[in-house]
Amino acid sequence: MKKHLRLLAAQLFAAVLVLSALTALSGPAHAGTPADDAALAAEWRAAWDTHRFHETTPPAPGSGRSRAQDSISITIDAPVARVFPAYSDFSNHIGKHSFLKRVVVHKSCFVRGERHINLTAVEEIPYEGTIVTSNTHAQQRIDYAGLYYETDSWTFPGVVTHQRIVFTKLPGGRTRVTEDLTFDADTSMIDFALANGVSSHRATQAALKQAIENHDL
């Protein structure tokens, strides 16, 4: 039982790591085999229909689940016209997350001026001599005119996240990026999800800031 719980924790940690990598995906997805992609598409649909991770209603009292929220921001010394497309392009996050292997886009379309992307991000995490695979199923919605994007996602063992990332023009050609983060999980795991999720997002922010300011992106 103890080893099983540690394995669940490893998968949850992997899930939280990948949450901060779920951005606009305006670049091409990494290729996988058609069979793998079809299976992931079926998993995505099952998660969407069963867990309804796009709904933002807080967990009901007595449900055994809790919600935790935080907001983090960073200032990047570059204009928003460069920061927004660089920060919201998932291909620019590759390498920022050691375990992220590929992303499969199941559908991409425009709905009332927003780009909606249904996707699965796949991570492979070394754990006690084996590889733990973590699939995060998500929907990304990008508002180019409003300079923000939102992501809803579900990951085993039942972590649901809602993210809103806003880009604000600042004097001197700088940009502030603010991430409002919401985590829903079993009450026994909510503190873990919040702490590790926020830590991962901060690390991603710092890595993207450096890359953008160094003109690597």
Side-chain angles (χ1 to χ4, degrees):
M1 175 63 72
K2 184 176 179 181
K3 184 174 182 179
H4 178 65
L5 290 175
R6 294 208 320 269
L7 179 59
L8 287 178
Q11 290 175 302
L12 176 58
F13 180 69
V16 175
L17 280 178
V18 82
L19 295 178
S20 60
L22 292 176
T23 51
L25 295 175
S26 54
H30 282 226
T33 66
D36 287 345
D37 292 357
L40 288 174
E43 284 186 25
W44 187 96
R45 174 52 61 180
W48 179 269
D49 293 340
T50 303
H51 304 288
R52 304 182 67 83
F53 55 82
H54 54 290
E55 295 182 351
T56 58
T57 303
S63 65
R65 292 176 61 80
S66 299
R67 169 167 289 185
Q69 298 173 302
D70 204 348
S71 181
I72 60 176
S73 65
I74 197 167
T75 298
I76 299 177
D77 189 13
V80 70
R82 187 157 65 87
V83 173
F84 181 59
Y87 200 104
S88 61
D89 183 344
F90 183 79
S91 63
N92 292 332
H93 291 246
I94 301 293
K96 304 298 189 299
H97 298 268
S98 302
F99 308 133
L100 182 61
K101 294 302 181 182
R102 66 190 186 105
V103 168
V104 179
V105 175
H106 310 301
K107 182 179 180 180
S108 178
C109 62
F110 280 88
V111 179
R112 294 184 293 276
E114 291 184 342
R115 185 182 183 190
H116 288 205
I117 305 169
N118 300 339
L119 59 103
T120 300
V122 181
E123 282 196 328
E124 295 180 357
I125 308 95
Y127 178 74
E128 294 190 351
T130 188
I131 297 295
V132 177
T133 299
S134 177
N135 298 331
T136 296
H137 304 297
Q139 183 181 81
Q140 183 78 19
R141 297 178 300 278
I142 313 160
D143 188 318
Y144 295 101
L147 293 176
Y148 71 88
Y149 62 83
E150 298 176 326
T151 303
D152 300 316
S153 68
W154 178 90
T155 308
F156 178 85
V159 180
V160 174
T161 69
H162 308 291
Q163 305 173 28
R164 181 180 173 89
I165 292 81
V166 179
F167 299 78
T168 304
K169 298 178 183 179
L170 297 177
R174 299 177 301 155
T175 303
R176 181 172 63 245
V177 182
T178 302
E179 301 193 19
D180 295 322
L181 310 172
T182 299
F183 301 89
D184 294 344
D186 288 350
T187 300
S188 62
M189 305 185 81
I190 190 63
D191 291 341
F192 181 89
L194 176 66
N196 285 278
V198 171
S199 175
S200 180
H201 278 256
R202 289 191 186 280
T204 300
Q205 282 188 335
L208 289 172
K209 171 184 168 72
Q210 182 179 30
I212 292 171
E213 291 182 347
N214 289 345
H215 293 273
D216 295 327
L217 295 178

